[in-house]
Amino acid sequence: MRRSIAALGLGLAAILPAADRAAAQTVLDFPTYQLEESFGPWWKALTEAYERENPGVRIKLTNAPSNDHHRMLTTRFAAGNPPDIVHMTARFIWGYADEGVLEPLDRWMDKTDIKRSWVPSQASLSVAGATYGLVMLNYGWGLVYNEAMLRQAGVAVPTTEPELFEAARKLTRDRDGDGRTDQFGMALNTSSSSWGFMTFMHFHNGRDRDIVQNRKLDDVAEITRTLARIQEYVKAGVTPAGLDNNPMRQLFWQGNAAMYIDGSWAPGYAERAADAVRSGWRIAPLPFPNLAGGPSNALAMPKDISAERKELVWKFIQMAASPEWQKRYAMVTGNPPGRLGSVDGEAREKWPFLALFEASASRPSRSHLPIGFENEYNRFSSIFTEGMTAMVAGRLTPEAAARQITAGLKREIKGLE
C-alpha cells in the first residue's frame, strides 16, 4: 500500500465496527501550497477539527512550495500515487479532468446547497457536465502601494493604466546616488512561470480583450499592443526584468518597490514586511477598466483511490464548504470565500481591504482563461511566457514575440483558429 497506515491498539479494534476500524487505519495525504501563507492557520484548524470529528482518521497536512506544487501533482498523478485531498490552482482543473484522473463530485455535491450558494465561477469547474472541483477562492486583485513613497514623490494613486505607468516612472529612484536604481516604481512578474502569463492577462483583460473568443485567438496586432505595453515598463527601468512572484513580493515588502499587483492574500505578507513598510502599505483597485477574473484555487478528489477514501475526502470537502468554516475562512485569512454571504462585519473590520477584494472578485467581465480551451491552459501559459520572456530579454520585438506566440499556439492546439 502506498500510503502510510496508522497502527491501532487491539482493544480499540475489538470494540469498533468494521467500517470504523477501516477508517481508524486511514491517513489522508493532503499537500497544499498555502500552508506557509496567510491561509495556513485556517487549513490547520480545519484539519484538526476534521480529525476530532472523525476519530482514527488522520490528515497528513504538508506544505508544497507554490512554484513546485503543480509539478509535484503532475508527477504523482502520472505515477499513480496522487494525494487523497487534492488542492490546486483552479486553472489546472480542466487539464487533469481531461486526462481522467479526477473524480466527479456531483453525486455528493448535488445533495448539498453548494451549487446554489457558491460564487458563479463554481459552474465553470465542470467538463462534459461533471463537476471536478470546489472553488475555494475567486480571484480578486488590487494595486498594493507604499503610501509614503507616493506622498514623497507627489504621486496620486493611479486610477488608469497610463497613470500607473507615469506613477511607476516617477517613483523609480536612485536613492543613494550610485548610478543604480534601488527603488523601483513597479514590480511586475515577467517570468516564464504561469504568473508571468497572468501579468500579460492583467494588461490584456485590462484593455477589455479576451485571449480567445468563440475559439478564435486574438489577433497579432492586439497581442502585440499588450506585449508592447509590458515592454515599456521594462525598457523604462521601472521594474526589474524577469521577476517571479517571490522576488516581486520581496521587492515591495522590503521597501524597494513602490507598487505591485497581487491578489486578496496580499495583506498576509505584511507581518513579514520591513518596519518602514509594515504601517504604510495600502491597497487600491487595479487601474484597469476590466479585470482578469475567474477561480483561483479549488479542492478536488483523485479518481484512483478506494471508495472508502473517497467518502472520507468528500467529508473533508463538505466540512470546508460548510457555512461555519466559510465564515472562518474570511475571518482568519482575510479573503472572500467561495460561499456567498460568508463575510460578516467582524471580518470586514479586521481586514480593511476585504471589501475591495470582494468587489474586485465580482467585477471581472473578462477571464484570464482561454475560454473553450481551459484544458490547454498549460500550453497557453508556456507558449505565451516563452515569447514574452524572449521579448523582455531583448531577443524579440513585441510584434515578433506576438507572431511566435500565435504560430506556436495554432500549431500546438487543435481547433484553435
Side-chain angles (χ1 to χ4, degrees):
M1 187 66 187
R2 296 186 294 262
R3 299 174 181 85
S4 58
I5 304 297
L8 286 180
L10 290 176
L12 180 60
I15 61 174
L16 289 176
D20 287 347
R21 284 203 302 275
Q25 296 175 352
T26 303
V27 177
L28 300 179
D29 189 15
F30 177 27
T32 172
Y33 57 92
Q34 292 184 334
L35 198 55
E36 302 300 324
E37 299 181 1
S38 58
F39 302 90
W42 185 81
W43 286 118
K44 290 175 184 174
L46 176 68
T47 298
E48 291 167 2
Y50 178 90
E51 290 176 340
R52 284 195 298 273
E53 291 189 10
N54 297 275
V57 182
R58 185 168 70 84
I59 294 180
K60 183 183 176 185
L61 177 64
T62 55
N63 186 61
S66 59
N67 285 345
D68 297 328
H69 186 66
H70 177 245
R71 189 181 304 114
M72 177 275 292
L73 284 179
T74 300
T75 300
R76 291 190 60 173
F77 273 115
N81 180 33
D84 297 291
I85 302 171
V86 180
H87 181 223
M88 68 171 79
T89 303
R91 56 183 174 268
F92 299 121
I93 283 271
W94 296 274
Y96 286 123
D98 199 46
E99 291 169 10
V101 298
L102 295 181
E103 178 74 15
L105 302 179
D106 304 274
R107 62 186 162 112
W108 296 286
M109 197 175 280
D110 287 347
K111 297 175 183 176
T112 73
D113 69 342
I114 290 175
K115 291 183 178 177
R116 301 188 303 275
S117 306
W118 231 249
V119 291
S121 65
Q122 174 61 42
S124 71
L125 295 191
S126 64
V127 176
T131 305
Y132 288 94
L134 173 74
V135 173
M136 295 303 298
L137 178 68
N138 231 21
Y139 277 126
W141 301 102
L143 179 69
V144 190
Y145 66 93
N146 186 311
E147 187 177 46
M149 288 182 183
L150 266 66
R151 189 186 312 118
Q152 183 182 27
V155 172
V157 178
T159 58
T160 65
E161 195 281 317
E163 288 181 5
L164 177 68
F165 178 77
E166 187 61 18
R169 196 182 60 76
K170 291 179 178 176
L171 287 160
T172 299
R173 295 178 55 203
D174 171 10
R175 289 185 293 208
D176 56 11
D178 67 353
R180 294 180 296 185
T181 298
D182 42 30
Q183 175 183 304
F184 291 92
M186 190 76 192
L188 280 179
N189 185 331
T190 52
S191 71
S192 58
S193 73
S194 61
W195 285 103
F197 180 54
M198 185 63 85
T199 296
F200 174 87
M201 293 309 300
H202 282 311
F203 283 79
H204 203 65
N205 286 157
R207 295 180 50 237
D208 203 16
R209 307 291 307 183
D210 279 321
I211 195 60
V212 175
Q213 197 163 35
N214 299 324
R215 305 188 71 79
K216 291 184 178 179
L217 183 67
D218 212 358
D219 62 39
V220 169
E222 295 296 346
I223 295 173
T224 298
R225 286 191 182 94
T226 299
L227 287 172
R229 193 53 172 157
I230 294 170
Q231 179 74 325
E232 284 186 63
Y233 284 73
V234 175
K235 291 185 75 171
V238 303
T239 179
L243 277 181
D244 206 342
N245 271 1
N246 287 338
M248 175 187 74
R249 290 175 178 137
Q250 187 174 27
L251 205 61
F252 176 83
W253 292 106
Q254 293 305 308
N256 297 312
M259 302 182 290
Y260 83 110
I261 296 170
D262 212 343
S264 53
W265 48 85
Y269 298 110
E271 289 184 2
R272 287 172 277 178
D275 291 343
V277 181
R278 193 173 300 131
S279 61
W281 61 275
R282 300 289 184 271
I283 304 177
L286 281 192
F288 301 127
N290 294 287
L291 302 179
S296 165
N297 61 88
L299 283 174
M301 182 190 302
K303 187 177 181 180
D304 187 23
I305 58 174
S306 70
E308 289 178 343
R309 285 181 176 274
K310 287 175 183 175
E311 292 297 332
L312 292 171
V313 171
W314 173 252
K315 288 179 73 174
F316 181 82
I317 294 175
Q318 190 173 21
M319 189 173 181
S322 67
E324 175 193 352
W325 282 96
Q326 287 290 289
K327 184 177 177 182
R328 288 194 192 186
Y329 186 93
M331 189 67 191
V332 173
T333 74
N335 289 268
R339 179 178 282 278
L340 297 170
S342 299
V343 181
D344 61 16
E346 189 178 1
R348 289 192 178 93
E349 183 176 354
K350 179 181 178 181
W351 300 97
F353 298 106
L354 185 52
L356 181 150
F357 287 118
E358 273 188 290
S360 171
S362 62
R363 177 183 157 202
S365 57
R366 299 290 178 182
S367 174
H368 72 284
L369 296 165
I371 300 299
F373 296 91
E374 291 90 344
N375 61 338
E376 298 284 4
Y377 184 88
N378 275 350
R379 281 200 278 190
F380 266 86
S381 172
S382 175
I383 291 171
F384 251 96
T385 55
E386 184 178 344
M388 189 172 77
T389 54
M391 176 196 74
V392 167
R395 299 194 298 274
L396 293 176
T397 65
E399 183 177 357
R403 291 192 181 283
Q404 174 180 299
I405 290 167
T406 299
L409 288 170
K410 290 186 176 180
R411 182 177 62 248
E412 296 288 333
I413 298 178
K414 186 178 179 182
L416 182 65
E417 300 174 14

